[in-house]
Amino acid sequence: MAFSTQVIGTTFANTAADDSAKYALGTRSLASDGSEWIYVKSGAAITGYDTVHINSSFVANSITAALAITAGDVGFMAANLSCSTSGQYFWAMVRGNPTLRVLTACQPAVPLYTTDTAGVLDDATASASHYQVMGTMLDTSNVGSTASGIAGVANFPMIRRPAA
């Protein structure tokens, strides 16, 4: 279990989001395992292991192609954490070894892209409207028959937007 090296008493193994803020939105913290986290508020329900888009007000939503082209950061829901509604507070990983929700047959060590399913990434893009999440890849492939949480690596992820 990773714990904060900067925010005393904080661990990042929560299994439920908070209904009230415990820290200032946008607070960043390094963890004992070298990962980096940011304190955010959900803009809608978010499924565990989702990749999220974090806007300048520190509101997180499951990433979509439409959100990917707007200004913001890329983050990841912690293991087994989900938000059932908007307005819940949680720590989102922005660098480290997140578990990523990816489509079936997604392969390791290749670029990952947004998909038509909010919060889910894949190694193939079905259309020109999907965007690469640079700095993020899987450790192993998803051999399951559904979108699943698979161990990954995120190193300062950002959206690669095509030139206009």
Side-chain angles (χ1 to χ4, degrees):
M1 167 177 56
F3 61 90
S4 175
T5 60
Q6 298 168 315
V7 182
I8 295 174
T10 299
T11 64
F12 302 108
N14 294 351
T15 56
D18 297 316
D19 290 327
S20 60
K22 298 199 182 312
Y23 309 97
L25 288 176
T27 298
R28 287 185 178 257
S29 181
L30 296 176
S32 57
D33 63 0
S35 59
E36 185 175 344
W37 300 74
I38 186 169
Y39 197 66
V40 298
K41 179 170 72 171
S42 62
I46 302 173
T47 302
Y49 305 127
D50 270 6
T51 299
V52 297
H53 174 273
I54 304 166
N55 70 19
S56 60
S57 297
F58 306 107
V59 174
N61 286 287
S62 297
I63 199 163
T64 62
L67 284 174
I69 59 172
T70 63
D73 290 317
V74 175
F76 309 95
M77 288 295 286
N80 298 323
L81 177 67
S82 63
C83 295
S84 58
T85 185
S86 65
Q88 293 184 301
Y89 299 84
F90 65 97
W91 289 97
M93 182 186 287
V94 292
R95 179 172 50 104
N97 291 25
T99 299
L100 305 170
R101 202 159 71 110
V102 296
L103 294 178
T104 60
C106 193
Q107 297 299 308
V110 296
L112 295 176
Y113 299 86
T114 60
T115 66
D116 290 336
T117 304
V120 177
L121 303 179
D122 195 22
D123 59 353
T125 177
S127 72
S129 65
H130 295 157
Y131 302 98
Q132 183 180 356
V133 182
M134 294 175 54
T136 303
M137 64 178 59
L138 295 180
D139 286 340
T140 60
S141 61
N142 179 9
V143 295
S145 59
T146 61
S148 300
I150 304 295
V153 175
N155 190 17
F156 299 108
M158 60 194 301
I159 300 299
R160 179 175 174 252
R161 296 170 185 86

